Amino acid sequence: MEILVPMDSGDKRPLYEQIYAYIRREIRRGSLGYGERLPSTRVLAENLKVSRSTTQMAYEQLLAEGYIEAVPYKGYFVARMEELVDMEPGGNGEMALEAAVEPDRGCRIDFSPRGIDLDSFPYNTWRKLSRDTLVDDNKEFFLSGDPQGEPGLREAVRGYLHAARGVECAPDQIIIGAGSEYLLMLLSRILGRDHRIAMENPTYKQAYRVLCSAGYPVCPVGMDASGMNPGLLEESGADIAYVMPSHQYPTGIVMPVGRRQELLKWAAGGGGRYLVEDDYDSEFRYKGKPVPALQGLDRKERVIYLGTFSKCIAPAIRVSYMVLPRHLLRLYRERAGFYASTVSRIDQNILYQFLVRGHFERHLNRMRAIYKSKHDLLLGAIRPLEKRFVVQGEHAGIHILLTDRTGRSEEELVRLAAGAGVKVYGISGYYICPQEAGQAGTVVLGYASLREEAIAEGAGLLAGCWM
């Protein structure tokens, strides 16, 4: 289908943000329905007379916030949306309502935990590196490359992981892929299907969906204040555990070294056991020193390490990496080594230059400062709520959790917030079995994609409706 986005030259917002905002609004109104196919980024760019990177940035932000889904080899489709609140007038002058809210209010502030700050993306630097990559008509970039990813990029990633995350590996242990979902599917080919996987509960649901679609039986394992409970893990009968020790999503738990050692002992206690460590946003820690990766403590080669540049640079970069234990490299080459790399050599080279020229380190330091400022602002703005709510998950990542002390349900908190024009997200949506979320009302507040004035306004509205 075609989408005609009204581009306003007088609008101060970047073009990608105008495209993102328009499609998001059409989805929320219901003009674009569940399952409807969107034009490709190339076709949309041609129709709107903008660069393809502009439409890619818009789509990736919509992907990050869950408005659309990418189906391999098929394209982009409108995702299933629940409890949408959009009070903007439609084309016929009517209001689009999918939740019981006051009819004269709209969703003014969206505390999405999935967005990032795209206003701070280093556009000029990325543009220059893109030009430099193609300035000499480098024909080799248009040929097939190494299936594991370009050697230079893998060495740069190795250097970064060793220095910043304490990961011990060689470049030949690293596989570059277009997103963690692809790498999980590749891992399923390497390990085979004869495994039972344990996941923290609540957890990152996209990984849960990918693993289930790969045919694995996935069992939820409860957590305590230190993370996944080793006793419950042993009882589950699983031989693979998917964990996020540096900053568990969505609870924000940072796993202490004692619990890490317990999990490593579990993994070493049986043949074929592995820990899959998802280190998705470990770069953002605002109190104390960064916590080294679990993989750096592993002496038995039982940890498979996953990381991504989506959170620390931009979702559109679509570059993730997996570090395999050495003894799995043979299985990789036998069972999956014939798969071509899913990241173009051009994009790999741009990212390589971004890393080795020091741009990534500078960008990361800048983003830490920006997110810390937003983090501190949000914590200060919700201080009036502290008598009624327990704050969790602070000092790391790009979201926090609020749990009601008075016993109000998640549904009531979400409904009251929607009535005030604020979108918040209930914790039950992250549970493998939502009924296990418990009685206490807990909501997730993401702040990365919001400007500071919007954070302050949204927190004020929440204080007004929840007090």
Side-chain angles (χ1 to χ4, degrees):
M1 64 167 296
E2 289 189 10
I3 296 179
L4 182 61
V5 181
M7 310 297 286
D8 184 357
S9 59
D11 194 325
K12 295 182 180 180
R13 295 177 299 172
L15 293 178
Y16 84 86
E17 190 171 332
Q18 293 186 46
I19 297 169
Y20 149 77
Y22 176 81
I23 296 176
R24 175 180 178 272
R25 186 166 62 249
E26 292 297 290
I27 293 173
R28 295 181 66 85
R29 285 176 173 174
S31 300
L32 292 175
Y34 165 61
E36 198 162 344
R37 184 174 182 173
L38 302 179
S40 68
T41 55
R42 178 185 60 79
V43 169
L44 185 60
E46 290 175 354
N47 292 344
L48 299 180
K49 301 298 186 289
V50 298
S51 69
R52 188 175 180 184
S53 63
T54 297
T55 55
Q56 285 177 328
M57 291 291 284
Y59 274 24
E60 289 297 342
Q61 185 63 21
L62 291 164
L63 278 167
E65 295 185 13
Y67 287 99
I68 64 175
E69 297 175 331
V71 179
Y73 310 112
K74 292 185 178 181
Y76 296 95
F77 298 83
V78 176
R80 183 184 298 278
M81 308 300 296
E82 297 179 0
E83 294 186 342
L84 282 183
V85 181
D86 195 325
M87 302 306 303
E88 300 177 52
N92 58 1
E94 297 179 354
M95 301 294 183
L97 287 176
E98 293 190 38
V101 297
E102 294 298 322
D104 59 343
R105 294 183 184 271
C107 182
R108 294 160 57 185
I109 309 293
D110 187 349
F111 280 102
S112 171
R114 301 183 67 184
I116 68 167
D117 187 336
L118 286 175
D119 290 337
S120 302
F121 181 80
Y123 294 99
N124 291 334
T125 298
W126 204 264
R127 191 178 299 115
K128 182 179 184 303
L129 294 176
S130 300
R131 288 197 300 265
D132 291 349
T133 296
L134 299 174
V135 68
D136 295 324
D137 295 337
N138 293 312
K139 296 179 181 179
E140 67 271 17
F141 289 144
F142 294 90
L143 300 174
S144 297
D146 192 310
Q148 286 187 233
E150 294 301 289
L153 176 59
R154 285 189 280 125
E155 172 57 36
V157 170
R158 184 214 62 81
Y160 162 68
L161 291 178
H162 180 70
R165 304 296 304 126
V167 171
E168 298 287 346
C169 70
D172 67 333
Q173 293 176 255
I174 298 174
I175 300 174
I176 303 295
S180 298
E181 295 95 335
Y182 166 76
L183 291 176
L184 285 174
M185 289 188 287
L186 194 67
L187 184 60
S188 72
R189 296 287 302 174
I190 298 169
L191 297 177
R193 304 295 171 83
D194 189 23
H195 294 278
R196 182 177 178 86
I197 299 180
M199 296 190 76
E200 299 158 322
N201 200 29
T203 192
Y204 175 46
K205 290 290 285 289
Q206 183 68 354
Y208 167 72
R209 287 188 284 263
V210 171
L211 293 171
C212 287
S213 70
Y216 290 111
V218 179
C219 54
V221 173
M223 296 190 295
D224 56 25
S226 297
M228 181 179 277
N229 186 306
L232 296 177
L233 172 59
E234 188 69 49
E235 292 174 6
S236 72
D239 56 356
I240 295 176
Y242 179 99
V243 294
M244 293 168 275
S246 294
H247 185 240
Q248 203 277 337
Y249 187 82
T251 65
I253 292 173
V254 177
M255 187 180 291
V257 66
R259 179 57 53 83
R260 293 171 185 238
Q261 294 289 0
E262 289 182 88
L263 291 182
L264 288 170
K265 183 178 179 181
W266 170 85
R273 285 184 177 180
Y274 293 97
L275 296 169
V276 178
E277 178 182 12
D278 188 344
D279 210 23
Y280 76 104
D281 75 347
S282 58
E283 294 86 359
F284 303 119
R285 184 165 174 81
Y286 316 120
K287 185 178 182 181
K289 295 182 179 180
V291 180
L294 176 66
Q295 194 269 3
L297 300 173
D298 180 23
R299 298 295 176 264
K300 302 292 185 179
E301 294 202 55
R302 295 286 103 192
V303 177
I304 299 164
Y305 181 88
L306 296 175
T308 181
F309 290 104
S310 294
K311 287 288 186 182
C312 53
I313 302 180
I317 303 307
R318 206 66 187 154
V319 178
S320 297
Y321 43 87
M322 177 167 61
V323 179
L324 290 175
R326 281 207 167 275
H327 63 271
L328 289 182
L329 289 176
R330 179 183 59 81
L331 288 178
Y332 161 71
R333 295 183 180 116
E334 288 178 1
R335 300 176 179 179
F338 53 87
Y339 285 104
S341 176
T342 50
V343 182
S344 79
R345 297 182 74 186
I346 295 173
D347 291 337
Q348 289 189 58
N349 186 69
I350 294 170
L351 180 56
Y352 165 74
Q353 298 294 337
F354 193 71
L355 288 167
V356 299
R357 294 186 186 183
H359 299 301
F360 177 65
E361 184 177 1
R362 289 190 291 273
H363 173 69
L364 201 53
N365 289 335
R366 182 177 177 225
M367 295 312 301
R368 283 196 192 103
I370 289 173
Y371 287 149
K372 184 179 187 304
S373 177
K374 293 183 177 185
H375 164 272
D376 293 349
L377 173 64
L378 178 58
L379 290 183
I382 63 171
R383 195 162 289 126
L385 292 169
E386 288 182 352
K387 290 184 178 181
R388 287 178 173 264
F389 288 85
V390 177
V391 181
Q392 299 169 275
E394 69 273 39
H395 308 311
I398 50 180
H399 72 273
I400 63 170
L401 282 76
L402 297 179
T403 300
D404 188 79
R405 299 177 188 267
T406 65
R408 286 180 293 184
S409 68
E410 169 191 309
E411 291 78 10
E412 182 178 359
L413 295 174
V414 171
R415 177 179 56 80
L416 290 171
V422 182
K423 177 71 173 176
V424 298
Y425 297 78
I427 192 72
S428 64
Y430 300 91
Y431 276 81
I432 294 175
C433 300
Q435 63 270 23
E436 297 177 0
Q439 299 299 315
T442 299
V443 295
V444 182
L445 301 183
Y447 51 83
S449 60
L450 294 174
R451 293 186 172 93
E452 291 193 351
E453 56 270 21
I455 293 173
E457 180 186 358
L461 291 169
L462 291 178
C465 71
W466 285 347
M467 291 293 286

